């Protein structure tokens, strides 16, 4: 039996899969944090989103983890952070245009997972 799973794709060499400059490696360096996709969806649902709202919605995360994930996403230009000089301080996050381009990708991943579950292969 012949393995035809890669007929429509370019040939992938095993050594290319694990290089740091692989496109997939780059993707997961940016969105591969455990909570980043969920945070992107939360911010997209109500944009801009206050830090306190994110903290309440992600009460299973420590404040430090939430802050780290947000800083990484800001560094990678997926979100923008705006701090207001008010008392009490107010910080809001919104998706950048680049961050918004991830929304259809996330939709495709969710559709894929739904089909995966239906197929009984989980």
């Amino acid at each position: 039996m012949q393995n035809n799973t890669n007929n429509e794709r370019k040939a992938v060499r095993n050594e290319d899969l694990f290089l740091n400059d692989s496109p997939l490696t780059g993707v997961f360096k940016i969105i591969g944090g455990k909570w980043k996709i969920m945070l992107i969806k939360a911010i997209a649902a109500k944009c801009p989103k206050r830090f306190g709202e994110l903290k309440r919605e992600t009460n299973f995360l420590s404040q430090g983890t939430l802050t780290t994930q947000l800083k990484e996403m800001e560094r990678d230009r997926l979100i923008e952070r705006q701090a207001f000089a008010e008392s009490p301080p107010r910080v809001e996050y919104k998706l950048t245009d680049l961050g918004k381009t991830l929304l259809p990708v996330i939709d495709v991943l969710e559709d894929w997972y739904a089909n995966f579950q239906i197929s009984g292969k989980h």
Side-chain angles (χ1 to χ4, degrees):
M1 181 176 193
Q2 188 178 20
N3 181 352
N4 293 323
T5 59
N6 202 24
N7 284 348
E8 297 177 20
R9 308 269 189 250
K10 72 177 189 173
V12 177
R13 299 177 311 177
N14 283 341
E15 57 268 21
D16 292 338
L17 292 174
F18 299 99
L19 295 176
N20 284 335
D21 59 352
S22 155
L24 281 178
T25 302
V27 167
F28 286 108
K29 283 181 180 178
I30 295 169
I31 64 167
K34 189 172 183 180
W35 306 108
K36 288 181 182 174
I37 290 180
M38 303 314 286
L39 290 169
I40 288 168
K41 287 185 58 118
I43 294 169
K46 181 184 175 205
C47 197
K49 179 84 85 173
R50 288 185 174 191
F51 181 85
E53 292 173 307
L54 283 170
K55 181 64 184 130
R56 278 190 299 281
E57 291 175 14
T58 59
N59 61 2
F60 48 87
L61 290 180
S62 71
Q63 185 165 332
T65 298
L66 175 60
T67 300
T68 298
Q69 296 285 284
L70 292 169
K71 283 182 180 180
E72 289 176 4
M73 291 173 21
E74 184 181 11
R75 175 200 67 208
D76 293 330
R77 301 180 324 274
L78 301 178
I79 62 173
E80 292 177 355
R81 177 185 186 271
Q82 186 172 12
F84 297 88
E86 299 174 349
S87 183
R90 177 171 52 118
V91 176
E92 293 180 345
Y93 294 91
K94 67 179 186 174
L95 292 178
T96 62
D97 289 340
L98 179 63
K100 291 174 187 175
T101 65
L102 282 170
L103 296 174
V105 175
I106 293 168
D107 289 342
V108 168
L109 288 171
E110 288 176 328
D111 290 345
W112 177 87
Y113 188 69
N115 288 327
F116 173 79
Q117 287 185 307
I118 290 170
S119 71
K121 305 276 190 225
H122 60 299

